[in-house]
Amino acid sequence: MTHAKTTRRLLATLVAGLFIPLGAQATDAELLKKVEAMAKEIETLRALVQANQETSKQAAAAVSDIKEKVQKNEDRALDKWLTVGGDYQFRVDSLRGETKPFTDVQGTFQAAQTSAMSSGVPPLGTLMGFSQNMAAVQTYQQARAFMSNPGNQAIMGGLNNFAASVPAYKPENATLYTNRFGLDLNAKATQDVSVTARLLMYKTFGANDDSAITNGGATPFFADRVGVFDGTLGHIPSSSYLNVDRVYATWNNIADQDIWFSVGRRPSTHGAPSNLRSNTPRPGTGGTPALLVDYAFDGMTVGWAPDIDALPGAYAKLCYGRGYEAGFSRALTNSLEDTDMIGISLVPIDTDALRVWAQYNRGMNIFDAPKMANTYFGTTMPKTNLGDIDWYGLGAMGTIKRVGPGELNWFADVGLSITHPNDKVSSQFGFQGLMTGAFFNPEAPTSKTGNALYLGLRYDLPSKTKLGFEYNHGSKNWITFAPASGDSWTSKVGTRGNVYEIYAIQELDSKPISSRFAKSFFRLGFQYYDFQYTGSNNWVGAPVRLSDVNGNMMTTAPLSKAYNAYATFEVKF
């Protein structure tokens, strides 16, 4: 007790003693003792409360520290930053076709070369000189001069003695079995930056090459099925190697806006509306319209998705891709330019009920042949650039619910192609240009315009049965850039003529485990190709009406009709 408190207590006692009797003084002393004891207890309680408060603060800090450590561990957990998925497909195709009689160019030259080496007729030196002079031709004017040379005319006339005539026949492959496996990876590297990858393997039962699709050992049927190259690797049956089909990095939310930048091997294959018959989700903002582009490009994209109430899901993007890298230029020996493509995509509305798109692409310095190994024509590579091509596309797809017991999915897509040939011709294809000329029959460079139509319906029943129908039409001069399509004969969106397809999908009624998108299903389908002109999916040479083909010199076998019955068992995980 302090001195001040003692003094005050003594004064209080003296004053009280003046007025209070002695007996009362004793009672007051006891009361003071009780008050002092209560004060001590209060001080003790106050100290305990302060101690408890400090302990609570320490405990709260410890809990917060534990929560922070748990959150950090959760953020580092594999399933927080890495998503793994994929698919497996077993497929069987039964293929039949009908050809027109033609003269096989490659077979004719091989027969002449064999005769020259064995009997000296024609003289081997003469034939080799002819081939060397032919390879030196680069322009339409040079091709005309070559063709008018009397010596060359004599050799070309002599080649008729070795003409490899192929009568009309009906190619068939009753059972073509294939395996396809895809592995999808998505890694969130940092805030707003991710890397997406897809590894893909596609092979034929009993073979580790592409011969079953390319008509190995005989004249191929279509330019997009001559062999496997960079733009089709993994999308045409070839080998058991697991190749990198896609890998690209994406930076989102640039400047706190819905703007993104993406670079790498692009998601430019199997775009809308082909996802309906594939029974896969819409490709999203990364896809390209399947009618115009189905090609594994390396490139980049800048996109913007403005928040407009009247245009839900709207976005626009500018795309760039490289289809062929020409390497270093070399005087007089390599005048090739890189083959590039730019694209502008506008999607004013993208909802489950309706998606609308408009697309413009320009292909620049189109090559005459991609780089391929071990084809019917040997090892091929670009020898010249034939010009540019413009593409325009407009399409829509949507879903109508409560149509009877199920819902109806629909789409309509139209395309336009316009060629801009330069004065170059392909010496390795008999002086043909960009959609101009025929073998040994050069044509002055002329722009050609083609158009295409792609329509489809799919009706989804509550039993997880899906019934679909699709129709394609391409005009005489239609050309697309879609060799990576999954169609076995040829990419149907590039057909010059009509294609009809029906299919049925039956999903298994099983609970998803690996992800909410996981499912298993069977698919049965039938395709009928009615070709009206030659050269589907080929931009080298002018189309010829099939009814006019009768022994023409051609580098590919002119198929007039084709049939494909197929079945798949597919698993998405």
Side-chain angles (χ1 to χ4, degrees), residues 397-447:
M397 65 186 302
T399 301
I400 304 174
K401 296 185 177 180
R402 294 183 293 278
V403 178
E407 60 183 33
L408 182 66
N409 300 278
W410 62 270
F411 68 82
D413 201 2
V414 294
L416 186 73
S417 64
I418 305 174
T419 64
H420 305 284
N422 52 32
D423 67 342
K424 301 290 183 65
V425 294
S426 176
S427 60
Q428 62 181 330
F429 293 115
F431 312 138
Q432 298 179 89
L434 184 62
M435 299 281 291
T436 61
F439 201 91
F440 282 163
N441 187 13
E443 175 189 348
T446 307
S447 176

Side-chain angles (χ1 to χ4, degrees), residues 229-232 235 265-270 288 292-298 322-324 339 341 367 370 481-485 539:
F229 55 97
D230 183 61
T232 63
H235 297 275
R265 191 157 176 84
R266 310 303 303 149
S268 52
T269 55
H270 310 317
T288 56
L292 301 186
V293 175
D294 203 334
Y295 190 102
F297 271 106
D298 300 287
R322 173 147 293 175
Y324 173 70
T339 298
M341 181 179 284
F367 50 72
F481 215 75
S485 166
W539 53 73

Side-chain angles (χ1 to χ4, degrees), residues 24 136 142 148 460 494-495 513:
Q142 293 172 351
S148 62
D460 299 352
T495 298
I513 296 178

Side-chain angles (χ1 to χ4, degrees), residues 88-158:
Y88 167 77
Q89 173 190 277
F90 161 73
R91 176 168 175 146
V92 55
D93 291 88
S94 183
L95 304 162
R96 294 186 300 111
E98 301 175 18
T99 73
K100 291 287 188 175
F102 71 104
T103 299
D104 179 15
V105 169
Q106 184 72 5
T108 298
F109 274 85
Q110 287 178 345
Q113 182 178 0
T114 300
S115 177
M117 295 178 65
S118 61
S119 64
V121 180
L124 182 59
T126 301
L127 188 61
M128 291 180 63
F130 176 85
S131 297
Q132 291 173 355
N133 293 334
M134 181 178 173
V137 172
Q138 297 184 2
T139 67
Y140 166 71
Q141 292 78 11
Q142 293 172 351
R144 291 295 299 261
F146 181 93
M147 296 293 295
S148 62
N149 181 285
N152 292 334
Q153 289 179 348
I155 295 173
M156 288 185 289

